[in-house]
Amino acid sequence: MSTYDDLNLLPPHLTVAVILKVDRLALTKTESITCIQLRVHYYFLHLFVCRQALYGRWSKMKRPTVGIATDGAHSTKERLTRYRAVDHSSVLELFNYYIGSKTNNIGDFLAIVEAVKYILRHPEAPRIIYSDSITAITWYRNKQTASSRRCEQLQLAEIFLKVMAAKIEDIQVLHWDNREWGETPADFGNK
């Protein structure tokens, strides 16, 4: 039995690092397995911390009452994508748009961008946006989409985010945790 039997637990880039360290230290089989287990534990702890940072929470938070909730929805039956935003405190709909047949991620991303535009037009609005789409939040933070569908709305949104970067850097876009808080107030209820 090889010293490296448990290495299939690790992703390839960590496997190489563990093999190099084990070979350099000339560890026994038991010591190398312990080393591998520590690496796996460290890897998953690192993933957990990254996810917590992305979701915008380090401990259990109460359901937000201030901010703007956004959501996008795509209906394959109607071939229609739409997105909207709702103010948490007043539960008033801030906007609701239809954009043709796109994807759910595109709808979520455009909802975030439109909420940013709303905040810039209304300085009294809270500078916190919630979305239940991690993909849309990532696209927003990167100021670039990874969608294979190229459309004018996406290109304009990317340009807007890059041009307005200095003015929008203090706007927080956080993950709305559906498991803890239920559906976002902007949810279309299509599920």
Side-chain angles (χ1 to χ4, degrees):
M1 187 146 111
S2 167
T3 306
Y4 309 116
D5 286 340
D6 291 343
L7 287 178
N8 59 355
L9 299 172
L10 295 173
H13 65 283
L14 285 181
T15 303
V16 171
V18 171
I19 289 173
L20 289 174
K21 290 200 181 218
V22 169
D23 285 342
R24 285 190 189 146
L25 297 174
L27 300 175
T28 65
K29 179 179 178 181
T30 307
E31 291 170 332
S32 64
I33 289 174
T34 303
C35 178
I36 290 168
Q37 289 169 345
L38 288 174
R39 282 286 190 183
V40 169
H41 176 73
Y42 172 77
Y43 176 73
F44 285 111
L45 178 65
H46 179 70
L47 280 179
F48 174 76
V49 169
C50 289
R51 286 188 180 135
Q52 294 300 316
L54 178 63
Y55 292 167
R57 59 184 164 86
W58 290 98
S59 62
K60 293 222 177 211
M61 285 177 41
K62 293 181 182 176
R63 182 182 168 109
T65 56
V66 176
I68 297 173
T70 62
D71 194 33
H74 175 74
S75 170
T76 52
K77 182 179 177 182
E78 298 172 5
R79 291 188 168 165
L80 187 65
T81 304
R82 54 191 179 157
Y83 60 90
R84 70 178 183 164
V86 172
D87 184 355
H88 280 291
S89 54
S90 65
V91 195
L92 291 175
E93 186 175 76
L94 303 176
F95 57 81
N96 189 344
Y97 294 112
Y98 296 86
I99 55 170
S101 183
K102 307 296 182 211
T103 65
N104 198 45
N105 285 332
I106 290 174
D108 283 321
F109 172 70
L110 292 176
I112 291 172
V113 173
E114 193 61 38
V116 168
K117 291 178 183 178
Y118 178 87
I119 290 170
L120 293 177
R121 286 191 305 267
H122 300 87
E124 74 284 354
R127 298 181 82 77
I128 300 173
I129 300 170
Y130 289 96
S131 174
D132 60 0
S133 171
I134 295 173
T135 301
I137 293 170
T138 303
W139 289 357
Y140 171 79
R141 290 183 179 165
N142 293 340
K143 296 177 180 43
Q144 182 175 351
T145 63
S147 177
S148 58
R149 290 191 181 190
R150 301 311 300 167
C151 63
E152 185 180 353
Q153 292 105 329
L154 283 182
Q155 291 171 345
L156 291 174
E158 288 175 4
I159 292 168
F160 170 79
L161 292 176
K162 290 173 183 171
V163 169
M164 302 300 281
K167 290 187 178 185
I168 64 174
E169 65 185 12
D170 64 328
I171 298 174
Q172 294 180 328
V173 179
L174 304 175
H175 181 254
W176 180 273
D177 192 347
N178 288 335
R179 286 175 289 165
E180 269 187 55
W181 306 325
E183 290 295 336
T184 174
D187 187 60
F188 285 99
N190 290 349
K191 295 175 182 102

